[in-house]
Amino acid sequence: MPSTLTECPAPAAPARDAIAPRRRTRVLALTEARWAAAALVLFLVALPLQLTGAPAWAWGPLYALAYVTGGWEPAWTGVQVLREKTLDVDLLMIVAAIGAAAIGQVMDGALLIVIFATSGALEALATARTQDAVRGLLDLAPTTATRLGDDGREETVATADLAVGDTILIRPGERVGADGRVLNGASDVDQATITGEPLPVAKETGDEVFAGTLNGTGALRVKVERDASDSVIARIVAMVEEASETKAPTQLFIEKVEQRYSLSMVAATLAVFAIPLGFGADLTSSLLRAMTFMIVASPCAVVLATMPPLLSAIANTGRHGVLVKSAVVMERLGQINAVALDKTGTLTEGTPRVTDIRPLAGSNLDEDSLLALAAAADHPSEHPLARAIVDAARERGLDIPETRDFNSAPGIGVTATINGAAIAVGAPARLRNNATDPRAAKTAAVAEELENGGRTAVLVDRDGIPVGVLGIADRLRPDAATTVTALKSLTGTSPLLVTGDNPRAAARLAAEAGIVADDVHAGLLPQDKVEAVRRLEARGRKVLVIGDGVNDAPALAAAHTGIAMGRAGSDLALETADAVIVRDELATIPKVIALSRAARRLVVQNLVIAGVFITGLVIWDLVATLPLPLGVLGHEGSTVIVGLNGLRLLRDAAWKRAGTDGTR
């Protein structure tokens, strides 16, 4: 077994749990949020005054202030865009709100302003939080390191000042200060932040280590091979930022046609006003007809045709443990046709567990007694493998004997005296290096069998004689296989497994989960995962990436859509991903995709309904004289209809149906 702790250790938390302190932008630190909050407060104060019959002078100025506080930023943005000869829907909504106020619908216009201001604030907050997580990732790498001079003297320097060729000392429990190669020493290094491997990796002379990873119980002398700006952790930051900036903006369906619709509506409104006026109509009737036209032709019903189904789907998924961050994300989820899954912490639970207990012939031990012996030796240790052995013994209700003379050797294992016998537990190859026992061949064969099956083999010796071998591995989530099958049905292609873990462990887990061998990509660094995603996208695929670690964040950012596991997920993965599985239930992912597709179908239905109403009312206003109250009633009626239709996805029945017709 790789090294456990030294005599009187200070427990070191795994890197997965030792994420840097969170940098969180406060909501009200954003100007968009402050203006949106002010508009909302003013609206909420004015509305009850109006509804209770207070005089207009009491609530009118409050509505006016709500218009200004909530509308000036989108209006200013719209004007700036207009200078570039582009008309966006934000400016159109501001014009519609002002038009509504001009014909007496002050409250409707204010509500529209508040909705738009709040939407903009939420978007700004999401962007800020992602940037916080990316900047916070740099805190994983220590700010100082112990540099060794040619004469062996120690000097504390800033990691940014380390140069290629310097030698640094990494003490037990410290984070590695730079990418480099071990000159001497042996230890375990938890590099889950970089590769996603579930267990610490034994490092000795000649092995590579990465900045930001967590050293175990041995001291290492490392030769720096990369500048701080070129370290793997720095490149992860750069990749996430680049992917976030260059990712093609995906818009809601209605936003894809907003430019043409906006221009057409403005031109048509001006024509409805100017043409009758040119033929001698009076100014008041021409203006009233034009305002009626603008109201009935405004895209309110079209916007609501899109939003309620998507927001209802978001609310429904939220009740079932899935946080989808925006309506755009909910729409994109229904478009995916390829899936790439991480292994550790995603398909698996991310915690090593004992899977095999193999007493050797002649040991006079059964499974329980062998496990109890190993647990007794490992009981004082904080190593993940040792904790797995002790937990397995406790789950079986075994009595763990008292341990004396406990000791550990980095890179080898632990020794202890138990019931008068010298017990050693550790890595088979290292414990048996000098063994001449005739059972060594049998021991090696059992260990090799376990390792070929993707398990970590742990040898138990008693008085220098091997008595058994334990197999330890990360356990597949109970719903992993059914999820893989459902995702294959939804997308028409088998999901890919992309992992930094070793090929044997990846192949074993893939076989258990139902992923074919050709779709297993193991030993990948973060940039390799991004390349795998981009290769799929180059073939026209819309890729969903599901992961949990810092090493998954670049791929989550680069993918069409990214989903992070909530419980095991790092801060960076949670902020970078478009959606979060709060309770780590993989089986919810196919349901979310199916619900997204149901929402997209409702969007199409609603657009048809809204289009029929708008077309009918516009024709009525142009061919005859549509009374303004009737126009407002028709416009609001269509809005209510499409809104209620979209709310159908709020029901639990919609979630259950997504689980049964998820292949559609």
Side-chain angles (χ1 to χ4, degrees):
M1 178 172 67
S3 66
T4 53
L5 297 181
T6 50
E7 274 292 345
C8 296
R16 183 178 295 278
D17 299 325
I19 298 301
R22 297 191 74 172
R23 305 183 185 205
R24 300 280 290 183
T25 297
R26 290 181 298 173
V27 176
L28 293 181
L30 301 170
T31 57
E32 296 92 341
R34 292 198 296 271
W35 286 117
L40 178 60
V41 169
L42 290 166
F43 178 82
L44 293 177
V45 173
L47 181 61
L49 291 175
Q50 181 187 15
L51 296 179
T52 55
W57 59 262
W59 48 263
L62 295 175
Y63 277 137
L65 287 173
Y67 273 74
V68 173
T69 54
W72 79 267
E73 278 197 322
W76 177 246
T77 302
V79 170
Q80 289 180 313
V81 172
L82 195 60
R83 290 175 180 172
E84 301 173 3
K85 298 181 181 180
T86 301
L87 183 64
D88 68 1
V89 78
D90 286 1
L91 184 58
L92 192 62
M93 286 296 95
I94 297 298
V95 172
I98 295 173
I103 60 173
Q105 306 295 323
V106 180
M107 186 269 288
D108 293 343
L111 178 60
L112 195 60
I113 290 287
V114 169
I115 291 173
F116 263 71
T118 304
S119 175
L122 291 175
E123 183 178 352
L125 179 62
T127 301
R129 289 285 169 85
T130 300
Q131 292 172 346
D132 290 342
V134 172
R135 290 193 299 269
L137 177 59
L138 290 173
D139 293 337
L140 283 174
T143 57
T144 61
T146 302
R147 183 168 60 190
L148 299 177
D150 293 337
D151 56 359
R153 294 179 59 185
E154 298 180 6
E155 178 188 9
T156 300
V157 299
T159 52
D161 296 334
L162 291 174
V164 174
D166 285 348
T167 300
I168 58 176
L169 172 65
I170 304 162
R171 295 184 174 88
E174 290 184 346
R175 287 192 176 274
V176 179
D179 286 5
R181 199 165 297 276
V182 178
L183 292 177
N184 58 63
S187 185
D188 299 325
V189 176
D190 190 336
Q191 50 190 36
T193 52
I194 302 298
T195 65
E197 292 172 281
L199 301 174
V201 178
K203 298 290 185 180
E204 54 188 16
T205 302
D207 289 338
E208 186 177 19
V209 293
F210 304 110
T213 55
L214 186 66
N215 187 26
T217 61
L220 298 174
R221 283 175 170 78
V222 174
K223 181 179 180 181
V224 177
E225 292 190 338
R226 295 191 188 96
D227 290 330
S229 60
D230 195 39
S231 67
V232 172
I233 200 78
R235 279 184 280 165
I236 291 176
V237 173
M239 283 188 292
V240 172
E241 290 178 335
E242 180 183 359
S244 299
E245 291 172 1
T246 60
K247 193 174 182 178
T250 303
Q251 297 173 307
L252 294 174
F253 176 80
I254 183 57
E255 292 179 351
K256 295 176 182 178
V257 297
E258 71 175 50
Q259 181 67 19
R260 295 178 182 177
Y261 189 92
S262 301
L263 290 172
S264 300
M265 179 179 165
V266 170
T269 300
L270 292 174
V272 170
F273 172 69
I275 292 175
L277 196 63
F279 282 93
D282 63 279
L283 179 63
T284 301
S285 62
S286 297
L287 181 59
L288 183 60
R289 182 187 292 269
M291 293 306 300
T292 302
F293 177 86
M294 186 179 71
I295 292 298
V296 300
S298 69
C300 297
V302 177
V303 170
L304 282 177
T306 302
M307 294 304 292
L310 297 173
L311 294 179
S312 297
I314 289 174
N316 200 334
T317 58
R319 290 202 309 269
H320 292 89
V322 184
L323 172 62
V324 178
K325 294 185 178 180
S326 71
V328 172
V329 173
M330 179 54 75
E331 186 189 41
R332 284 207 307 254
L333 279 166
Q335 300 170 350
I336 66 104
N337 53 20
V339 179
L341 291 149
D342 174 49
K343 184 182 83 69
T344 305
T346 302
L347 273 181
T348 71
E349 295 175 346
T351 304
R353 295 180 181 271
V354 174
T355 59
D356 300 84
I357 305 173
R358 302 280 188 89
L360 296 177
S363 65
N364 297 321
L365 296 175
D366 59 14
E367 288 190 1
D368 284 353
S369 55
L370 174 62
L371 182 59
L373 200 63
D378 272 324
H379 190 264
S381 174
E382 288 292 331
H383 191 282
L385 292 182
R387 290 199 298 269
I389 293 171
V390 174
D391 289 344
R394 286 173 175 164
E395 287 174 4
R396 292 191 175 208
L398 304 180
D399 291 328
I400 300 177
E402 183 181 353
T403 301
R404 300 175 58 188
D405 304 325
F406 172 81
N407 201 354
S408 67
I412 298 176
V414 302
T415 58
T417 301
I418 300 168
N419 295 330
I423 305 300
V425 181
R430 301 190 183 194
L431 281 184
R432 309 305 298 168
N433 271 344
N434 301 316
T436 58
D437 189 277
R439 281 175 286 190
K442 175 63 175 176
T443 304
V446 174
E448 184 178 1
E449 177 190 346
L450 292 174
E451 289 173 350
N452 287 339
R455 292 153 176 81
T456 298
V458 176
L459 174 64
V460 182
D461 271 11
R462 182 174 58 194
D463 293 329
I465 298 174
V467 293
V469 182
L470 305 179
I472 299 178
D474 196 2
R475 190 165 66 180
L476 195 71
R477 292 187 186 275
D479 52 358
T482 56
T483 299
V484 167
T485 301
L487 290 173
K488 184 175 181 179
S489 298
L490 282 164
T491 62
T493 58
S494 177
L496 266 64
L497 180 63
V498 289
T499 178
D501 210 348
N502 67 78
R504 288 186 300 189
R508 177 185 65 83
L509 257 296
E512 292 182 22
I515 298 175
V516 298
D518 290 343
D519 292 325
V520 177
H521 303 272
L524 304 184
L525 288 175
Q527 60 266 31
D528 301 321
K529 292 187 177 184
V530 173
E531 284 303 313
V533 170
R534 287 177 175 164
R535 283 196 298 270
L536 283 174
E537 291 182 337
R539 299 203 296 265
R541 296 286 185 177
K542 295 184 184 297
V543 184
L544 168 66
V545 170
I546 307 168
D548 71 301
V550 168
N551 59 312
D552 299 316
L556 289 169
H560 179 71
T561 311
I563 295 180
M565 308 300 287
R567 287 180 179 172
S570 67
D571 285 350
L572 184 64
L574 297 179
E575 297 292 356
T576 304
D578 301 302
V580 176
I581 308 299
V582 178
R583 296 191 288 264
D584 284 6
E585 296 173 349
L586 276 176
T588 59
I589 296 175
K591 289 191 175 185
V592 171
I593 296 172
L595 198 63
S596 171
R597 294 181 178 180
R600 286 166 59 84
R601 291 194 294 270
L602 277 185
V603 167
V604 174
Q605 293 177 15
N606 283 347
L607 288 173
V608 172
I609 294 171
V612 169
F613 269 87
I614 290 174
T615 302
L617 293 172
V618 164
I619 292 174
W620 189 349
D621 187 53
L622 294 177
V623 174
T625 301
L626 174 63
L628 179 58
L630 193 58
V632 172
L633 179 63
H635 177 266
E636 297 300 326
S638 66
T639 301
V640 170
I641 290 173
V642 298
L644 292 176
N645 190 42
L647 295 179
R648 289 163 48 195
L649 292 183
L650 279 173
R651 298 177 298 175
D652 283 337
W655 180 262
K656 294 176 181 177
R657 198 161 48 244
T660 57
D661 62 1
T663 58
R664 292 165 52 188

